[in-house]
Amino acid sequence: KFLLGAALAALATGATAQTIGFSQIGSESGWRAAETTVTRQEAEERGIDLRFSDAQQRQENQIAAIRSFIAQGVDAILLAPVVATGWDNVLEEASEAEIPVVLLDRQVDSSDDLYLTAVGSDLVHEGEVAGEWLVENKPEGECRVVELEGTTGSSPAIDRATGFRNAIEGHDDIEIVRSQTGDFTRSGGKEVMESFLQAEGGGENICALYAHNDDMALGAIQAIKEAGLDPGNDILIVSIDAVPDIFTAMAEGDANATVELTPNMAGPAFDALEAYLYDGTVPPKFIQTESTLYTQDDDPMAEYEKRKDLGY
Ligand code: GZL
């Protein structure tokens, strides 16, 4: 109560708005690095004292960071949860300390009583957009697809797999023949794509790659080239995030389509927190960000220019 009162008093006097702890997953992808950059910028603009923790993609480090933020008596916590399960206890502790938690870019299986709101895209819909692009752009006949999944147990890996399968359902000439996690990293995408190529006769009979993020697709493109094949033509490449480097790949004909994920989850999160801390406005449990498809027809280098300085 005291904390909330202090925060309200501070806000009422227009003093420094809030001290907010941010438990970030890590920097596994260009998109994640951009999210961190944008969050710092948004906090700076709002006069928020941002306490930042990089968990190196380990849930135990995130849990420890949240406990530290509670001990510091922060006014609120941002959490990008690396996986969907295992959060009940620490979220209960934040709730008991009356510190609101806002989820960024991934979801948790915990009861939504345990967080104020979640800011993110419709992860299932992203997978559907990717799958629909393949349905409409695949070559005639059978299309054997390999899939690079995100971090095992993360809500984007689960939901993007679901969405893609929703879209290709009923199209019997499209078949996902191999799926494996590349952990959302370029190196992971390259290593797993190398194994897919070896397992699939050098890649001659792979029609398309669906990667849950652009960084894994970019790693896979390297592996496809090293195998002597032409990414974007011999093997179609569809992924998610819309990072700058996927647009240069598109301009070179090495990638075909991406679904944009904004790195600015913090803006809506800070807005919701200020409304909540300042005048008790309770936000909806989910604040959805847009998902837009970009292909080689959308002037990729212009899209690259728009994004190249955003901290990816
Ligand atoms: C999705 C987000 C994913 C990005 C990846 O909302 O959690 O995590 O698509 C990142 O680039 O690793």
Side-chain angles (χ1 to χ4, degrees):
K1 287 272 181 297
F2 168 74
L3 277 177
L4 206 49
L8 283 173
L11 283 172
T13 60
T16 303
Q18 299 132 358
T19 298
I20 296 181
F22 178 18
S23 171
Q24 178 58 298
I25 290 171
S27 53
E28 74 282 357
S29 70
W31 183 88
R32 182 79 45 204
E35 183 186 55
T36 295
T37 301
V38 171
T39 300
R40 290 185 190 282
Q41 289 167 348
E42 291 285 339
E44 180 84 22
E45 283 165 24
R46 290 169 167 80
I48 289 169
D49 171 7
L50 188 73
R51 309 280 169 85
F52 180 78
S53 159
D54 176 326
Q56 313 283 320
Q57 283 195 276
R58 298 171 67 90
Q59 181 175 31
E60 61 268 26
N61 292 345
Q62 291 202 278
I63 291 170
I66 293 168
R67 290 194 165 124
S68 170
F69 294 145
I70 293 169
Q72 293 170 47
V74 298
D75 299 304
I77 292 169
L78 301 182
L79 169 63
V82 60
V83 293
T85 56
W87 301 99
D88 288 358
N89 291 341
V90 75
L91 291 178
E92 290 278 1
E93 292 164 32
S95 175
E96 278 148 29
E98 295 186 350
I99 299 175
V101 175
V102 174
L103 304 181
L104 300 189
D105 75 79
R106 295 187 187 179
Q107 292 281 2
V108 297
D109 289 351
S110 302
S111 160
D112 66 12
D113 294 338
L114 291 178
Y115 55 87
L116 180 67
T117 185
V119 180
S121 59
D122 178 336
L123 296 159
V124 173
H125 175 63
E126 293 171 331
E128 290 168 345
V129 172
E132 284 154 14
W133 178 87
L134 184 63
V135 167
E136 287 153 25
N137 292 277
K138 63 178 266 305
E140 279 303 305
E142 185 194 38
C143 185
R144 294 162 57 80
V145 181
V146 294
E147 178 182 27
L148 287 169
E149 298 170 325
T151 300
T152 303
S154 68
S155 64
I158 294 162
D159 291 350
R160 287 173 177 171
T162 300
F164 189 87
R165 284 159 178 76
N166 292 348
I168 67 171
E169 192 171 354
H171 298 276
D172 299 337
D173 53 357
I174 303 179
E175 182 191 1
I176 299 171
V177 295
R178 292 181 190 279
S179 289
Q180 191 175 328
T181 184
D183 211 17
F184 282 130
T185 66
R186 287 196 190 203
S187 58
K190 184 172 189 287
E191 282 158 33
V192 175
M193 191 68 209
E194 285 163 352
S195 68
F196 285 165
L197 289 162
Q198 277 152 24
E200 289 290 329
E204 297 307 319
N205 45 15
I206 298 176
C207 158
L209 163 66
Y210 168 48
H212 292 184
N213 81 334
D214 292 343
D215 280 62
M216 293 191 290
L218 290 161
I221 285 167
Q222 202 56 45
I224 292 166
K225 286 182 175 178
E226 289 170 6
L229 294 173
D230 180 3
N233 291 295
D234 295 335
I235 299 178
L236 297 176
I237 311 285
V238 56
S239 54
I240 301 170
D241 278 353
V243 302
D245 290 349
I246 204 68
F247 290 108
T248 50
M250 276 187 207
E252 286 150 22
D254 292 342
N256 302 91
T258 187
V259 184
E260 181 174 41
L261 177 71
T262 176
N264 190 352
M265 302 289 175
F270 289 148
D271 290 346
L273 277 168
E274 274 182 50
Y276 177 69
L277 289 170
Y278 186 83
D279 56 23
T281 306
V282 179
K285 280 299 177 185
F286 182 45
I287 299 172
Q288 184 177 332
T289 59
E290 292 298 306
S291 303
T292 306
L293 177 73
Y294 288 92
T295 71
Q296 290 178 5
D297 301 338
D298 295 312
D299 193 351
M301 285 318 288
E303 294 305 327
Y304 169 80
E305 287 299 323
K306 285 182 200 168
R307 295 166 176 79
K308 68 178 174 34
D309 300 324
L310 295 183
Y312 283 90

